[in-house]
Amino acid sequence: MKVIEGGVTAAAGFLSASTAAEIKYKNRQDMAMIYSETPCKAAGTFTTNIVKAAPVKWDQNVVKNSPFAQAVVINAGIANACTGAEGYGYCKDTADVAAEVLKIPADAVLVASTGVIGMQLPMDRITAGVKAMAPKLDGSTESGTGAAQAIMTTDTKKKEVAVQVELGGKTVTIGGMCKGSGMIHPNMCTMLAFVTTDAAISKELLQEALSEDIQDTYNMISVDGDTSTNDTVLLLANGMSGNPEITEKNEDYETFKKALNYVNETLAKKMAGDGEGCTALFEVTIVGAESKEQAKILAKSVITSSLTKAAIFGHDANWGRILCAMGYSGAIFDPEKVDLFFQSAAGKMQIIENGVAVDYSEEQATKILSEPEVTAIADVKMGDATASAWGCDLTFDYVKINADYRS
Amino acid sequence: MKVIEGGVTAAAGFLSASTAAEIKYKNRQDMAMIYSETPCKAAGTFTTNIVKAAPVKWDQNVVKNSPFAQAVVINAGIANACTGAEGYGYCKDTADVAAEVLKIPADAVLVASTGVIGMQLPMDRITAGVKAMAPKLDGSTESGTGAAQAIMTTDTKKKEVAVQVELGGKTVTIGGMCKGSGMIHPNMCTMLAFVTTDAAISKELLQEALSEDIQDTYNMISVDGDTSTNDTVLLLANGMSGNPEITEKNEDYETFKKALNYVNETLAKKMAGDGEGCTALFEVTIVGAESKEQAKILAKSVITSSLTKAAIFGHDANWGRILCAMGYSGAIFDPEKVDLFFQSAAGKMQIIENGVAVDYSEEQATKILSEPEVTAIADVKMGDATASAWGCDLTFDYVKINADYRS
């Protein structure tokens, strides 16, 4: 597997565009479009929140019932959630106008929105945006990057990744972009992530590969414990690499899945590391768990603990909060057997052994915890299972951003 | 039922004392003692965190196995959690010295600790503290207030309450104090709360009344979603009011339970309203739920949502976050039927009707949300059940306090 430059336009036949439609932001791009030159098999996973945004409902229907998908229209600034029948109508209107200018069926158009809940989309500006983007569709790396920037809300960095693998003698590319910074606690899926590939693969296996992989990637991150109304991952495969179509779980399928996992995990970590207001990516790895499920419960409990996150912000080796968060996770373990380590680019050190602090240097621990990516590793000594989760620190800026997000 | 002045010393025969033992803090009281002139029936509820502090284990044993309890020794500053066999030994040592100076059995002494996890107690100072407090035991209101102040950590206000009811022609008093400000997300029980009563009641009914009541009081508050290692509620009844002993679920039992509920709910709300760094008590009431259980799940999900809490800090009527938090709670409801209101001393106003915003004044909403106690009321129109939960806003000071708690 080779990591390459680019994002959603890296795979053959995928074009993108972006524009400043003034949905909510001024003086920046806030709409993006992805288009495939040929029809795609589409897979998707969506929020499990009972309160589902209109575009989530629209896309669930397209992924399930449309013969193919060929375009995605995305806006930042307004989530189109809690907008009733009027909001759902605007998804259809958006698809209609995109279908018209792109000369594809309306039910091949996916839509996605992110931003404030409860406001209606300004449809005149959405329509103008779609019409402005269609003639600008372009398969360059720069175009993909422009799209990744246009979908940002409180994100501070654009998030994209692409990889290549060989399948049946052909070079297959998978590329993706995502946004996500607040209201990030995916359950079954995540925020907005768009992954494109030129692999030929059956729709069933495409969906299965995605549904499985999100459990270890997007579902293992959290910024603030709030599961959004808009979480969406879309995976489009147009088959243009020319590889023999994957229709069974053979070696090609495993290779594809591994590459997909790299793309999803990379995008997920980029989201956690750019959580609202955060200064550090905080990774928690549980080793020696009885089962993978137990390891995941423990890891996720620690990365969602407000007290632990505040301690990471303070570069404070407050291991008691980590053990406490493991303790209330619901997983079963013996606290008096736990070993805990901190690790970063500045080194690795043991903090507790069998549940009690070893004689470690607070100064050295603070040095390790002052890096932009820090990891806590807990060994619960019960078995061989392992899992990682990714979050971020809790900072003044998280509060600042969210005390005044709407205005 | 009459609300009276005082706290743990309000009921007949209960004395308290406090002292500056320099456990961690300088220049303030940081140890407290409660003592009953006669043996008490003891009930207790404790953290469900797998990582249980040593005093929790000690007290569970006393409540379960000792014939009676007669004193409680409390320290602030060090939690005595994750301290292994050495830490548990210090509970026994504390009980031993208290037993010696108070001339009661060691297994009648309850202990409680709160503060930083992972440090060992300085036993010389604990011992000196116990010896200093015993001669100062006093049943005055001021003495009870001193104890309520001594058990504070990041709390900014002492928390106590007392009520009186008539049982079998006798005036029965229930009084209590508590502390709690961070790591507050009780599960099955709570932080440190100490309730004393001169009621005569069987040990079985005392425990049953307490176990039931915490489900609607302490278990319905949250400051930061972190369930502590030290959560403890102790309820001591010495029977000195002379009421006919309550041994069955008669009218006296119901009167006692109602008074106990007032004491526990008041203490719980005081904790939520004094959450670390907070500027407002945030109450969420769900009405029209299918069952009480569903109403509780919904209410608690909203008060634990970081995004909602930050919006309350910003006096921002960001109702989308409230609906979102209800949506991921796990409870079943139809988002398109929900009505939502905000209420405070500044008035009450409807924000959404049937899941969509009504034409409300943002200015008026901000005014309502700028009070020190604000309530959100959501009607899900499915039945008659109702429940309330209490939390607080998420502020810069929460982050500040917890980024640097240990130092």
Side-chain angles (χ1 to χ4, degrees):
Chain A
M1 189 181 70
K2 196 170 86 182
V3 179
I4 61 168
E5 285 294 299
V8 284
T9 56
F14 282 97
L15 315 177
S16 74
S18 51
T19 191
E22 300 205 334
I23 304 304
K24 177 173 170 248
Y25 300 103
K26 307 289 171 205
N27 308 319
R28 55 157 278 199
Q29 314 272 91
D30 58 357
M31 278 191 79
M33 181 185 274
I34 304 169
Y35 172 76
S36 169
E37 291 171 349
T38 58
C40 298
K41 300 206 166 101
T45 58
F46 303 93
T47 186
T48 53
N49 196 316
I50 282 188
V51 181
K52 289 186 207 316
V56 166
K57 296 179 193 172
W58 175 269
D59 289 356
Q60 283 180 318
N61 185 43
V62 169
V63 168
K64 190 172 173 203
N65 298 316
S66 294
F68 63 89
Q70 202 161 352
V72 190
V73 178
I74 311 143
N75 76 276
I78 295 179
N80 194 8
C82 301
T83 48
E86 184 181 349
Y88 190 78
Y90 291 160
C91 295
K92 186 176 183 310
D93 295 346
T94 304
D96 282 344
V97 62
E100 190 192 322
V101 296
L102 297 172
K103 298 183 179 37
I104 57 174
D107 72 356
V109 179
L110 295 149
V111 297
S113 296
T114 173
V116 68
I117 296 176
M119 282 175 71
Q120 295 291 353
L121 288 174
M123 275 311 294
D124 51 342
R125 281 173 268 169
I126 294 279
T127 301
V130 170
K131 287 182 176 168
M133 288 189 289
K136 295 199 292 181
L137 284 166
D138 175 352
S140 67
T141 302
E142 294 69 30
S143 171
T145 298
Q149 284 164 336
I151 63 174
M152 290 162 58
T153 55
T154 49
D155 306 62
T156 65
K157 297 170 200 153
K158 55 108 184 160
K159 303 169 182 69
E160 49 181 351
V161 64
V163 298
Q164 286 182 332
V165 287
E166 298 292 313
L167 294 183
K170 299 286 180 178
T171 300
V172 167
T173 303
I174 308 179
M177 67 176 184
C178 67
K179 66 81 49 182
S181 195
M183 205 174 264
I184 297 296
H185 185 82
N187 183 9
M188 289 304 291
C189 87
T190 184
M191 314 69 29
L192 301 188
F194 307 94
V195 182
T196 55
T197 178
D198 45 24
I201 179 169
S202 73
K203 187 173 164 87
E204 290 67 33
L205 287 180
L206 190 70
Q207 181 68 52
E208 188 174 330
L210 179 64
S211 296
E212 265 186 42
D213 195 55
I214 58 147
Q215 306 291 353
D216 295 332
T217 55
Y218 303 109
N219 279 8
M220 292 306 286
I221 66 169
S222 183
V223 168
D224 47 23
D226 281 286
T227 301
S228 166
T229 51
N230 286 53
D231 291 347
T232 299
V233 181
L234 293 173
L235 169 59
L236 300 177
N238 67 9
M240 284 178 71
S241 77
N243 68 297
E245 187 177 358
I246 303 168
T247 55
E248 57 183 50
K249 292 185 180 173
N250 54 18
E251 204 179 313
D252 280 1
Y253 178 73
E254 293 307 323
T255 304
F256 177 78
K257 265 200 75 174
K258 207 168 278 183
L260 180 65
N261 174 260
Y262 181 86
V263 167
N264 285 337
E265 183 177 309
T266 303
L267 292 176
K269 285 168 75 170
K270 280 175 190 272
M271 278 190 276
D274 191 27
E276 283 180 335
C278 91
T279 68
L281 171 69
F282 178 42
E283 175 172 324
V284 173
T285 298
I286 304 293
V287 301
E290 207 171 44
S291 68
K292 185 161 188 184
E293 197 46 46
Q294 292 271 308
K296 288 170 94 166
I297 290 168
L298 287 164
K300 209 159 173 186
S301 186
V302 177
I303 59 134
T304 53
S305 154
S306 292
L307 287 170
T308 303
K309 289 153 57 90
I312 296 296
F313 175 51
H315 312 314
D316 177 12
N318 200 320
W319 58 268
R321 294 180 182 171
I322 293 178
L323 220 58
C324 177
M326 291 169 66
Y328 64 67
S329 68
I332 306 299
F333 68 101
D334 181 352
E336 295 184 4
K337 281 194 184 158
V338 175
D339 291 354
L340 183 76
F341 305 80
F342 285 125
Q343 184 171 24
S344 76
K348 179 177 179 176
M349 71 187 295
Q350 184 159 10
I351 304 291
I352 65 175
E353 184 172 6
N354 293 321
V356 186
V358 299
D359 188 22
Y360 66 90
S361 149
E362 289 284 356
E363 196 185 348
Q364 177 61 14
T366 296
K367 204 172 148 199
I368 289 173
L369 293 176
S370 299
E371 292 291 318
E373 298 190 4
V374 300
T375 302
I377 303 160
D379 186 347
V380 294
K381 302 178 193 164
M382 294 180 74
D384 294 327
T386 177
S388 292
W390 301 275
C392 59
D393 54 344
L394 175 61
T395 70
F396 298 120
D397 280 352
Y398 176 84
V399 177
K400 189 170 178 185
I401 290 165
N402 288 303
D404 200 26
Y405 174 68
R406 293 196 313 168
S407 47
Chain B
M1 191 180 71
K2 198 171 84 180
V3 179
I4 61 168
E5 285 293 299
V8 285
T9 55
F14 283 98
L15 316 177
S16 74
S18 51
T19 192
E22 301 206 330
I23 304 304
K24 177 172 168 247
Y25 301 102
K26 307 289 172 207
N27 309 319
R28 54 157 278 197
Q29 314 271 91
D30 58 358
M31 278 191 81
M33 181 184 275
I34 303 169
Y35 172 76
S36 171
E37 291 171 349
T38 58
C40 297
K41 304 216 164 90
T45 57
F46 303 94
T47 186
T48 53
N49 196 316
I50 281 188
V51 181
K52 287 185 209 318
V56 166
K57 296 179 193 170
W58 175 268
D59 288 356
Q60 282 179 319
N61 185 44
V62 170
V63 168
K64 191 173 171 202
N65 298 316
S66 294
F68 63 88
Q70 201 161 351
V72 190
V73 177
I74 311 144
N75 75 277
I78 295 179
N80 194 7
C82 302
T83 47
E86 184 181 351
Y88 190 78
Y90 291 159
C91 295
K92 187 175 181 311
D93 294 346
T94 304
D96 281 344
V97 62
E100 188 190 325
V101 295
L102 297 171
K103 299 186 179 30
I104 58 175
D107 72 355
V109 179
L110 295 149
V111 297
S113 298
T114 174
V116 67
I117 296 176
M119 281 175 72
Q120 294 291 353
L121 288 174
M123 274 312 294
D124 51 342
R125 281 174 266 168
I126 294 278
T127 301
V130 170
K131 289 183 176 170
M133 288 190 287
K136 296 200 290 178
L137 283 167
D138 175 352
S140 68
T141 303
E142 294 67 33
S143 172
T145 299
Q149 285 166 335
I151 63 174
M152 290 162 57
T153 55
T154 50
D155 306 61
T156 66
K157 297 169 199 151
K158 54 108 183 160
K159 302 170 183 70
E160 49 181 353
V161 63
V163 298
Q164 284 182 333
V165 287
E166 296 292 313
L167 294 184
K170 299 286 182 182
T171 299
V172 167
T173 303
I174 308 179
M177 67 176 186
C178 68
K179 65 81 50 183
S181 194
M183 204 174 265
I184 298 296
H185 185 82
N187 184 9
M188 289 307 291
C189 88
T190 186
M191 316 67 34
L192 302 189
F194 307 94
V195 181
T196 55
T197 179
D198 45 24
I201 179 169
S202 74
K203 186 174 165 88
E204 291 66 33
L205 287 179
L206 190 72
Q207 181 68 53
E208 189 174 330
L210 179 65
S211 295
E212 265 186 42
D213 195 55
I214 58 147
Q215 305 292 351
D216 294 331
T217 54
Y218 303 109
N219 278 9
M220 292 306 286
I221 67 169
S222 184
V223 169
D224 48 22
D226 282 284
T227 302
S228 165
T229 50
N230 286 53
D231 290 348
T232 298
V233 181
L234 293 173
L235 170 58
L236 300 178
N238 67 9
M240 285 179 70
S241 77
N243 68 296
E245 187 178 357
I246 303 168
T247 55
E248 57 183 50
K249 293 185 180 174
N250 54 16
E251 206 180 310
D252 281 0
Y253 178 73
E254 293 308 323
T255 304
F256 177 79
K257 265 199 77 174
K258 208 169 277 180
L260 180 65
N261 174 259
Y262 182 87
V263 167
N264 285 337
E265 184 179 307
T266 303
L267 292 176
K269 285 168 74 170
K270 280 175 191 270
M271 278 190 276
D274 192 27
E276 282 179 336
C278 89
T279 68
L281 171 69
F282 178 42
E283 174 171 326
V284 173
T285 298
I286 304 293
V287 300
E290 209 170 42
S291 67
K292 185 160 187 183
E293 197 44 49
Q294 292 270 308
K296 289 169 94 165
I297 290 169
L298 287 164
K300 210 158 175 189
S301 186
V302 177
I303 58 135
T304 53
S305 154
S306 292
L307 287 171
T308 303
K309 289 152 58 90
I312 296 296
F313 175 50
H315 311 314
D316 178 13
N318 201 319
W319 57 269
R321 293 179 182 169
I322 292 178
L323 221 58
C324 175
M326 289 169 66
Y328 64 67
S329 67
I332 306 299
F333 68 101
D334 180 351
E336 295 184 5
K337 281 195 184 156
V338 175
D339 291 354
L340 184 75
F341 306 81
F342 283 125
Q343 184 172 22
S344 76
K348 179 177 179 177
M349 70 187 296
Q350 183 159 11
I351 303 291
I352 65 175
E353 184 174 5
N354 293 321
V356 185
V358 299
D359 188 21
Y360 67 90
S361 150
E362 289 283 358
E363 197 184 344
Q364 177 62 14
T366 297
K367 206 173 146 200
I368 288 173
L369 294 175
S370 298
E371 292 291 319
E373 299 191 3
V374 301
T375 302
I377 302 161
D379 186 347
V380 295
K381 301 178 194 165
M382 294 179 75
D384 295 325
T386 179
S388 292
W390 300 275
C392 60
D393 54 342
L394 176 61
T395 70
F396 298 122
D397 280 352
Y398 177 84
V399 177
K400 190 172 177 185
I401 290 165
N402 288 303
D404 202 24
Y405 174 67
R406 292 197 313 170
S407 47

